[in-house]
């Protein structure tokens, strides 16, 4: 909760990836709040009050996952809404002539998106979601200490730059709405 709240304010892309990881963490503990409390939350250097807050937060997420049918797979509605906001902003940025650097970065990353879709990604998913899925996949590979090919590393570097630009525009838009034309 504490990490999520901070990321939501400072980096929406990292927030979304973190929340996907939280969903998977909940699943790894069998959606059991007692296991999450004793095997996960208790490992952190939190005060008793912070541990209670964190436990309540995880409990609420578990209830949401159960009620939204994403106990086994998929994403919470709150995360889907965040993704949708990013996808909508992406479309607005591309439809405007006021953001040439974003356009250039998008066309630089587009071949990687096409390649990802040709290698099993859902062809109907939005390009931004494809980028996030690739970032999350590589994050999981790194956590598992698995090898990442140089080609994949290069693609991820480019995708990270692109998503970083989208993140920056998202934050600017939240502070003061962007003018698209």
């Amino acid at each position: 909760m504490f990490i999520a709240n901070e990321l939501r304010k400072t980096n929406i892309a990292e927030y979304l990836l973190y929340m996907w990881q939280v969903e998977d963490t909940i699943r790894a503990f069998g959606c059991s709040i007692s296991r999450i409390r004793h095997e996960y939350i208790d490992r952190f250097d939190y005060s008793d009050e912070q541990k209670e807050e964190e436990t309540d937060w995880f409990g609420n997420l578990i209830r949401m996952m159960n009620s939204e049918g994403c106990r086994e797979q998929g994403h919470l509605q709150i995360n889907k809404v965040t993704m949708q906001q990013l996808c909508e902003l992406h479309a607005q940025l591309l439809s405007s002539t006021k953001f040439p650097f974003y356009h250039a970065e998008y066309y630089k990353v587009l071949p990687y998106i096409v390649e990802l879709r040709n290698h099993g990604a859902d062809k109907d998913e939005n390009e931004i979601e494809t980028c996030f899925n690739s970032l999350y996949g590589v994050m999981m590979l790194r956590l598992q200490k698995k090898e990442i090919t140089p080609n994949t590393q290069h693609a991820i570097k480019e995708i990270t730059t692109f998503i970083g630009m989208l993140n920056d525009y998202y934050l600017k838009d939240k502070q003061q709405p962007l003018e698209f034309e």
Side-chain angles (χ1 to χ4, degrees):
M1 175 184 88
F2 304 110
I3 295 169
N5 287 342
E6 188 58 33
L7 286 175
R8 185 151 184 87
K9 290 183 248 172
T10 59
N11 191 319
I12 199 66
E14 286 183 13
Y15 164 80
L16 194 55
L17 292 169
Y18 176 76
M19 288 302 296
W20 285 5
Q21 188 177 18
V22 166
E23 292 168 339
D24 283 344
T25 299
I26 289 170
R27 291 181 187 113
F29 287 104
C31 296
S32 166
I33 193 61
S34 62
R35 283 191 62 206
I36 290 169
R37 172 62 193 250
H38 298 297
E39 297 174 40
Y40 184 71
I41 296 171
D42 283 348
R43 295 186 331 189
F44 293 97
D45 188 26
Y46 289 151
S47 68
D48 288 342
E49 184 179 317
Q50 288 173 316
K51 287 179 181 180
E52 286 304 316
E53 286 180 53
E54 194 81 355
T55 301
D56 287 346
W57 183 69
F58 271 95
N60 287 331
L61 292 175
I62 291 168
R63 280 189 285 287
M64 291 164 61
M65 288 173 74
N66 286 330
S67 69
E68 294 176 19
C70 57
R71 186 179 171 100
E72 303 295 323
Q73 64 182 10
H75 299 296
L76 288 165
Q77 193 61 36
I78 56 172
N79 297 329
K80 289 179 183 178
V81 167
T82 301
M83 177 62 72
Q84 186 59 39
Q85 290 170 341
L86 289 169
C87 292
E88 288 169 5
L89 177 60
H90 167 70
Q92 289 175 306
L93 290 166
L94 284 183
S95 67
S96 173
T97 58
K98 291 186 172 186
F99 305 95
F101 293 112
Y102 186 81
H103 286 227
E105 197 60 40
Y106 168 71
Y107 287 109
K108 194 173 176 184
V109 168
L110 188 56
Y112 301 117
I113 295 170
V114 170
E115 189 174 334
L116 285 164
R117 288 183 172 178
N118 288 339
H119 291 297
D122 183 353
K123 290 171 182 36
D124 293 329
E125 94 186 348
N126 183 285
E127 295 164 331
I128 300 304
E129 199 165 352
T130 299
C131 290
F132 272 89
N133 282 327
S134 66
L135 292 172
Y136 189 75
V138 168
M139 185 174 89
M140 291 295 104
L141 289 173
R142 286 183 177 140
L143 286 172
Q144 296 167 22
K145 300 188 182 334
K146 292 190 176 174
E147 183 182 349
I148 300 163
T149 66
N151 286 345
T152 300
Q153 288 177 16
H154 179 73
I156 289 301
K157 183 178 179 212
E158 295 297 334
I159 290 170
T160 299
T161 301
F162 172 63
I163 293 298
M165 283 184 96
L166 179 61
N167 175 73
D168 291 346
Y169 282 121
Y170 178 90
L171 294 174
K172 286 178 188 173
D173 191 48
K174 290 297 174 198
Q175 290 171 356
Q176 181 175 342
L178 297 172
E179 293 181 26
F180 296 100
E181 285 179 310

